[in-house]
Amino acid sequence: MRLGGVDIFHLVNDGEMRARGLSGNHCAFVVEVDGRLDPRRLERRLAVAARALPQLRWRLAGGWPVPPRWEVERRDPPDVAVHSATEVLDGALALLEERLDGRQPWRLDVLRLPDRDAAVLRWFHPFADARAAARLVAWLGSGDGDEPEAVPIGDVAGGSDRALATLGRQQRIALARAYTAHVMELGRVPTASLVDTVPARAWRGGRQRAMRLVLDAEETRAFDRKVRQRARLAETSVALLAAVRVLDAELYARGLAPARHLVPVPLSLDPKDERARLFGNALTMMLFHLDRDDLGDERRAFLRLAEQQREIVRQKLDVAMLAGLDFASWLPRTGYRWLRDRPFSGAASSMVVSNPGANEVRRFAGLVVRDAYPLPTVVAPPAFQLTFSRHGGRFAACMGWVEGVLSPAEADRALSRLRHELLT
């Protein structure tokens, strides 16, 4: 299976992150359970899963000028390792410091805490997006014995190239040009990220850090009322405005007041009833911007975001971005990086905001699930991002950054501000 444009985008990011001394572009999905997981029984479960799904034996092959692709190897799945930890998040972050790549694009680990266990699926970002990984975790943990339930019916692997399948060459070229013009226009207004406020040596080679904010049931209901009453059910708009306000406050505290904040937001290409896809990156990016003058007026900010979304749909900029990535994926890496960085002088964005939505992981290997959530890698730059999710009816946010960009006190302040912005 040839990698799609978004997969290659993640592959290029991986190389650049490692060149900056970071662990690489890979993510985790954490499942906290009541009770103890048996690693040997999990290994038997994974062996059955790998026989049922050859994608679990993928290995990355090729590279420019040969397009990179996934090939199936005859091998057993990786062993399940058990790691002692006192806090789930700290243990999961430590696992993200261990290198994953195309030779072995996924692993399942167990974190052993004093009162419970957690399963952590780690994966190389070209292998899957967050929604696919959540479904993969749910399937791997399904059933109460040593085998998962039957493989979902449908296409288990699919990428962003599906959105381009019906387009001819000239249509793709026209869309790629439209997207280039769009981002060049956005790049005319100055923006900034937190990495602009610290010397490169402060964050290059830094470890990934993260904190979580989990709203309780009453707070989640208050947040949902705000979404209904103020943003016409546009949950991501509320979360995006809150995230940008947090970033703006941190930049202002460091003496920066950029005229514009530029924020890419992943958009899933899955149909609403998708259940089968477990592999690949079937998404695009919607590139939103909020001018600093908009941040103080909530109603105006929501209108701006709604207008941008309508314009993205009208001009097909979501598909145009994929056409641009598909074109760039055939270039050597130096040409790819130049084409990508040119509009924003290498800055790319102010921060990253993601909202993969609710996950339905209720039981894992026969145990009740307490909490389940994605823990994505922090792309640097911009080295700061917020990922929103839901589990068990509770709304949550994971704030991630690269060590050296935020101090512990600044991170505490930012998370406190985020709670305030979400609930008031």
Side-chain angles (χ1 to χ4, degrees):
M1 176 177 168
R2 180 183 179 273
L3 268 64
V6 175
D7 304 323
I8 293 177
F9 174 82
H10 289 313
L11 184 62
V12 174
N13 268 345
D14 176 72
E16 294 190 356
M17 291 171 70
R18 287 188 291 116
R20 297 181 179 112
L22 306 173
S23 60
N25 193 5
H26 47 269
C27 308
F29 195 93
V30 181
V31 181
E32 300 181 27
V33 298
D34 280 326
R36 297 299 185 190
L37 292 163
D38 184 334
R40 303 291 80 81
R41 292 188 68 183
L42 287 178
E43 287 174 352
R44 291 195 291 272
R45 178 180 285 267
L46 295 181
V48 172
R51 288 195 294 271
L53 286 176
Q55 292 84 357
L56 290 172
R57 291 180 277 121
W58 267 352
R59 178 186 176 93
L60 194 61
W64 197 88
V66 179
R69 64 194 181 278
W70 292 113
E71 293 184 347
V72 177
E73 281 196 338
R74 294 177 60 87
R75 66 170 186 230
D76 295 327
D79 294 339
V80 176
V82 179
H83 310 265
S84 298
T86 55
E87 297 290 341
V88 174
L89 196 56
D90 290 343
L93 289 171
L95 289 174
L96 282 178
E97 292 302 312
E98 298 181 7
R99 175 78 182 135
L100 279 180
D101 56 27
R103 293 169 295 181
Q104 179 54 64
W106 68 277
R107 293 192 68 94
L108 185 69
D109 298 272
V110 171
L111 294 177
R112 183 133 292 166
L113 288 89
D115 62 337
R116 66 192 187 282
D117 281 356
V120 181
L121 176 72
R122 291 181 287 143
W123 75 93
F124 189 43
H125 213 333
F127 184 68
D129 58 34
R131 287 197 176 187
R135 295 188 198 108
L136 179 59
V137 167
W139 179 74
L140 289 173
S142 64
D144 291 334
D146 289 347
E147 298 184 11
E149 296 173 353
V151 175
I153 297 174
D155 190 356
V156 298
S160 57
D161 54 332
R162 292 191 298 190
L164 303 174
T166 61
L167 301 179
R169 181 173 179 272
Q170 292 304 316
Q171 289 175 297
R172 296 187 186 204
I173 292 173
L175 284 170
R177 286 174 174 169
Y179 189 76
T180 300
H182 171 64
V183 296
M184 291 295 287
E185 180 63 26
L186 289 177
R188 291 163 60 95
V189 179
T191 187
S193 67
L194 287 175
V195 296
D196 297 319
T197 67
V198 294
R201 64 178 180 275
W203 63 269
R204 285 178 181 264
R207 297 183 62 183
Q208 177 170 332
R209 299 299 184 192
M211 297 174 68
R212 290 189 75 223
L213 168 65
V214 182
L215 303 184
D216 62 27
E218 184 177 346
E219 290 171 330
T220 297
R221 286 192 293 270
F223 172 75
D224 289 341
R225 282 195 300 272
K226 178 178 180 178
V227 171
R228 289 194 304 269
Q229 294 168 2
R230 304 189 200 177
R232 298 182 180 180
L233 302 180
E235 178 180 292
T236 298
S237 293
V238 177
L240 178 58
L241 177 58
V244 172
R245 283 174 166 173
V246 169
L247 173 65
D248 185 78
E250 290 303 315
L251 289 173
Y252 188 76
R254 301 179 186 199
L256 286 181
R260 171 170 290 176
H261 297 287
L262 193 65
V263 185
V265 178
L267 173 68
S268 176
L269 298 172
D270 283 336
K272 287 187 177 181
D273 59 348
E274 177 65 74
R275 294 289 184 271
R277 188 181 64 84
L278 309 177
F279 307 95
N281 285 272
L283 53 81
T284 183
M285 289 281 187
M286 296 175 68
L287 195 56
F288 289 102
H289 66 274
L290 280 171
D291 292 344
R292 195 162 192 273
D293 293 342
D294 296 332
L295 299 185
D297 188 329
E298 183 182 75
R299 182 175 179 274
R300 186 170 68 186
F302 289 153
L303 287 174
R304 290 277 191 272
L305 293 173
E307 289 169 0
Q308 290 173 48
Q309 186 166 0
R310 287 193 295 271
E311 190 67 8
I312 287 170
V313 172
R314 188 182 69 81
Q315 296 192 30
K316 299 181 179 179
L317 293 173
D318 49 350
V319 180
M321 186 231 186
L322 298 177
L325 287 178
D326 181 68
F327 169 75
S329 69
W330 296 93
L331 299 175
R333 293 295 171 257
T334 52
Y336 188 106
R337 288 190 290 267
W338 176 84
L339 190 65
R340 184 195 61 187
D341 295 345
R342 189 166 60 105
F344 312 113
S345 302
S349 65
S350 306
M351 65 181 300
V352 177
V353 173
S354 177
N355 185 7
N359 70 79
E360 303 300 329
V361 186
R362 296 288 180 260
R363 296 182 67 83
F364 188 87
L367 299 178
V368 174
V369 173
R370 286 188 177 189
D371 200 1
Y373 48 91
L375 184 61
T377 189
V378 178
V379 178
F384 180 68
Q385 67 189 53
L386 280 159
T387 302
F388 299 94
S389 62
R390 285 180 188 256
H391 180 267
R394 295 178 299 171
F395 189 75
C398 182
M399 183 178 75
W401 70 96
V402 173
E403 190 175 46
V405 171
L406 284 176
S407 69
E410 288 169 332
D412 286 338
R413 179 179 66 195
L415 200 68
S416 177
R417 182 181 294 273
L418 178 63
R419 175 187 289 276
H420 172 79
E421 295 291 349
L422 291 173
L423 295 175
T424 59

